[in-house]
């Protein structure tokens, strides 16, 4: 088997996890797709350096680094783009509409929408460093040690950051549900 | 287990990341504490929400796109060619940013070192001046006369310096103000020849050292310092540095300074 075939066999099953992390961090479909492609090509070029038993954390580390670099570039670019663009991007509203329309029938979208939209909004409000630990822990089920490897911090930091991220997410969700209740009345 | 300690560990408890004894302690606490058991239930609920709705699925077009990108990558990476990316996700812009940061740090270090050197050098220089002036003052007291030209007439003392010092030092007859002019001499301080004008107040001898200075400031004042029981007052005015030294008290020295 060629290196490339072996690489694809190992990594493509984790494309979903890679795209999920990238989407949460970058908040737009196009950027997430670009970042995943960038990360896969980088991972392929660095494949000889991979020595672990589990390729998923290794791959997610690369995805994560690519995404944070893009966020950094975006911040730099934001200094020169118009305010409208920045605000629509930062609310996450554009992103949510973007994501909801992706490959779903209108009925499915309607059923899932309330909780899903709520969560998408809440996640978008979290700072990226909180978002990533929530995604890696709650969705991807990574251990603290694996998360520490992906985000490049000690395990103790993972524990405290995750605790803060959860508290923050809870507060945002509570605030949003209260708002919804008031709007309903 | 204390409630606040347990509260910190609730997340790790739920994630199964605690050591067995800690896990037992937290579990025991949750059984008795409403606040903590509610918090765990909340986290549980939000965790389920995130797990259920949080995943964002890739579009079907992503996989073919990745395969195509990898095909292109395979073609461009020739066998035997050293592989780039020495560190995961570290590329040229990041390396440049790092280099920039390192350069900035190095520059900051250099500035700090130079500033320290400058301060130390300046301090050392000031130290030497004070030391030399103290020695010269004591030497003048040991000798029969502290002056080479003894006169209470400024019109005698001032011309005496002409041709001896490379500037015209200020010489004032301050007898009326209580500072009797005794005369002048030359001395050697901090590797240079300096003019000294000697005054007397009551029984106290005051040596006023003067030399042209590079200090541009018209008036700069250092606080009075004291060495071996002698008060030193250093100032500069109109391109001349002054240092008055005496066993006279600092307040009266200041008075002289203002008169000169």
């Amino acid at each position: 088997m060629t290196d490339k075939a072996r690489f694809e066999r190992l990594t493509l099953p984790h494309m979903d996890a890679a795209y999920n992390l990238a989407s949460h961090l970058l908040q737009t479909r196009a950027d997430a797709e670009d970042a995943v492609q960038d990360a896969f090509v980088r991972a392929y070029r660095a494949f000889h350096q991979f020595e672990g038993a589990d390729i998923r954390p290794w791959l997610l580390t690369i995805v994560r680094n690519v995404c944070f670099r893009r966020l950094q570039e975006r911040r730099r670019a934001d200094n020169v783009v118009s305010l409208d663009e920045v605000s629509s991007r930062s609310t996450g509203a554009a992103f949510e509409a973007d994501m909801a329309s992706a490959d779903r029938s209108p009925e499915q979208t309607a059923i899932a929408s309330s909780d899903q939209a709520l969560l998408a909004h809440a996640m978008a409000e979290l700072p990226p460093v909180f978002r990533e630990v929530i995604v890696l822990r709650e969705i991807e089920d990574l251990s603290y040690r694996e998360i520490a490897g992906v985000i490049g911090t000690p395990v103790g930091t993972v524990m405290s950051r995750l605790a803060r991220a959860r508290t923050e997410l809870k507060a945002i969700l509570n605030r949003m549900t209260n708002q919804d209740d008031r709007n309903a009345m | 287990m204390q409630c606040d300690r347990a509260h910190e560990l609730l997340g790790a408890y739920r994630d199964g990341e605690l050591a067995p004894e800690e896990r037992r302690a937290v579990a025991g606490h949750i059984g008795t504490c409403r606040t903590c058991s509610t918090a765990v239930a909340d986290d549980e609920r939000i965790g389920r929400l995130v797990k259920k709705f949080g995943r964002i699925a890739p579009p079907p077009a992503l996989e073919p796109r990745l395969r195509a990108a990898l095909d292109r990558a395979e073609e461009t990476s020739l066998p035997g060619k050293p592989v780039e990316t020495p560190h995961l996700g570290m590329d040229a812009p990041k390396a440049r940013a790092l280099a920039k940061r390192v350069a900035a740090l190095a520059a900051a270090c250099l500035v700090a070192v130079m500033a320290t050197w400058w301060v130390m050098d300046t301090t050392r220089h000031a130290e030497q001046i004070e030391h030399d002036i103290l020695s010269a003052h004591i030497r003048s007291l040991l000798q029969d006369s502290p002056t080479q030209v003894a006169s209470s007439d400024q019109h005698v003392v001032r011309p005496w310096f002409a041709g001896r010092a490379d500037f015209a030092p200020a010489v004032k007859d301050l007898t009326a103000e209580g500072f009797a002019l005794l005369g002048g001499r030359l001395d050697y301080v901090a590797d240079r020849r300096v003019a000294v004008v000697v005054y007397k107040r009551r029984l106290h001898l005051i040596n006023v050292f003067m030399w042209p200075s590079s200090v541009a400031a018209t008036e700069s004042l250092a606080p009075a310092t004291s060495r071996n029981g002698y008060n030193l007052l250093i100032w500069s005015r109109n391109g001349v540095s002054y240092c008055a030294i005496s066993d006279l008290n600092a307040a009266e020295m200041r008075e002289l300074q203002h008169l000169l």
Side-chain angles (χ1 to χ4, degrees):
Chain A
M1 195 192 290
T2 65
D3 261 7
K4 181 166 155 289
R6 202 164 73 86
F7 176 79
E8 287 181 349
R9 189 177 55 83
L10 281 173
T11 57
L12 283 177
H14 305 300
M15 181 184 73
D16 284 18
Y19 182 78
N20 183 42
L21 179 61
S23 298
H24 277 287
L25 286 176
L26 296 173
Q27 300 279 304
T28 80
R29 252 178 86 175
D31 277 3
E33 286 179 34
D34 287 351
V36 170
Q37 180 184 326
D38 189 2
F40 268 69
V41 170
R42 277 168 198 280
Y44 174 61
R45 295 225 163 97
F47 190 38
H48 64 284
Q49 293 174 9
F50 169 66
E51 309 171 317
D54 189 0
I55 202 164
R56 198 166 64 126
W58 183 78
L59 185 66
L60 290 177
T61 307
I62 300 175
V63 173
R64 186 259 180 200
N65 289 342
V66 166
C67 289
F68 269 83
R69 192 164 47 243
R70 278 171 182 256
L71 286 174
Q72 236 168 32
E73 281 160 11
R74 199 187 275 177
R75 255 203 308 279
R76 270 202 292 276
D78 273 354
N79 291 336
V80 289
V81 300
S82 76
L83 283 170
D84 292 349
E85 254 181 88
V86 177
S87 59
S88 77
R89 188 185 277 159
S90 59
T91 56
F95 163 74
E96 187 231 325
D98 195 13
M99 287 296 170
S101 65
D103 317 306
R104 261 196 214 106
S105 70
E107 300 80 44
Q108 282 173 311
T109 307
I111 294 163
S113 68
S114 69
D115 275 353
Q116 191 160 22
L118 192 70
L119 182 69
H121 270 288
M123 287 292 279
E125 272 198 34
L126 281 181
V129 289
F130 284 173
R131 242 182 274 152
E132 66 176 347
V133 288
I134 294 274
V135 169
L136 293 173
R137 177 61 227 168
E138 305 285 16
I139 305 176
E140 302 303 344
D141 266 327
L142 261 57
S143 72
Y144 284 14
R145 185 181 297 280
E146 287 172 324
I147 296 173
V150 171
I151 69 174
T153 63
V155 175
T157 308
V158 174
M159 187 169 128
S160 55
R161 193 173 291 172
L162 198 48
R164 282 186 58 198
R166 280 168 168 157
T167 311
E168 194 82 358
L169 182 60
K170 196 192 295 188
I172 295 171
L173 283 169
N174 282 342
R175 199 186 64 224
M176 285 179 167
T177 17
N178 290 342
Q179 261 168 14
D180 282 1
D181 290 350
R182 271 202 303 279
N183 292 344
M185 289 192 292
Chain B
M1 178 171 272
Q2 293 288 309
C3 187
D4 49 353
R5 174 69 186 140
H7 209 88
E8 283 170 17
L9 296 176
L10 289 181
Y13 168 78
R14 203 170 67 77
D15 293 328
E17 294 272 351
L18 289 181
E21 61 272 25
E22 264 181 327
R23 191 168 59 235
R24 273 193 296 276
V26 174
H29 175 79
I30 291 171
T32 60
C33 174
R34 258 191 81 101
T35 316
C36 284
S37 59
T38 312
V40 170
D42 279 354
D43 281 353
E44 202 73 56
R45 187 171 51 79
I46 290 170
R48 274 199 306 274
L49 182 72
V50 174
K51 212 179 271 291
K52 188 170 176 195
F53 292 120
R55 181 176 292 284
I56 302 166
L62 187 60
E63 191 179 325
R65 185 180 158 179
L66 291 184
R67 287 184 187 277
L70 291 172
D71 284 343
R72 280 196 303 277
E74 190 190 26
E75 282 162 22
T76 51
S77 68
L78 300 166
K81 180 188 160 201
V83 188
E84 41 167 345
T85 64
H87 185 73
L88 299 183
M90 174 94 136
D91 64 356
K94 193 161 182 185
R96 267 200 300 278
L98 187 69
K100 225 184 270 177
R101 223 176 283 175
V102 168
L105 196 66
C109 287
L110 187 67
V111 167
V113 166
M114 283 175 65
T116 311
W117 177 81
W118 184 81
V119 166
M120 280 177 67
D121 192 59
T122 311
T123 314
R124 207 165 35 227
H125 188 64
E127 277 282 319
Q128 198 203 344
I129 289 176
E130 284 185 22
H131 178 265
D132 286 1
I133 283 173
L134 178 67
S135 304
H137 179 69
I138 293 171
R139 212 177 310 115
S140 76
L141 298 174
L142 293 173
Q143 284 158 3
D144 295 330
S145 165
T147 57
Q148 288 169 293
V149 53
S151 171
S152 60
D153 187 349
Q154 54 180 323
H155 300 295
V156 173
V157 176
R158 202 172 149 93
W160 180 83
F161 281 110
R164 293 186 171 86
D166 53 355
F167 71 114
V171 182
K172 286 182 182 170
D173 185 2
L174 301 168
T175 315
E177 285 83 10
F179 294 95
L181 179 63
L182 293 189
R185 71 166 192 281
L186 291 174
D187 216 315
Y188 201 72
V189 166
D191 305 318
R192 64 172 303 158
R193 188 146 49 142
V194 300
V196 187
V197 178
V198 188
Y199 296 91
K200 192 165 194 173
R201 186 171 181 104
R202 297 188 299 276
L203 293 174
H204 306 285
L205 193 85
I206 308 154
N207 274 306
V208 179
F209 293 76
M210 281 168 268
W211 61 95
S213 82
S214 54
V215 179
T218 48
E219 179 89 63
S220 72
L221 253 183
T225 53
S226 178
R227 284 180 86 110
N228 295 22
Y230 294 98
N231 288 315
L232 268 90
L233 210 55
I234 299 178
W235 72 96
S236 50
R237 186 189 296 153
N238 299 328
V240 178
S241 289
Y242 297 79
C243 178
I245 180 166
S246 174
D247 52 353
L248 188 67
N249 64 70
E252 286 181 275
M253 301 258 300
R254 284 261 182 242
E255 206 181 315
L256 175 65
Q257 182 203 343
H258 291 305
L259 291 169
L260 282 174

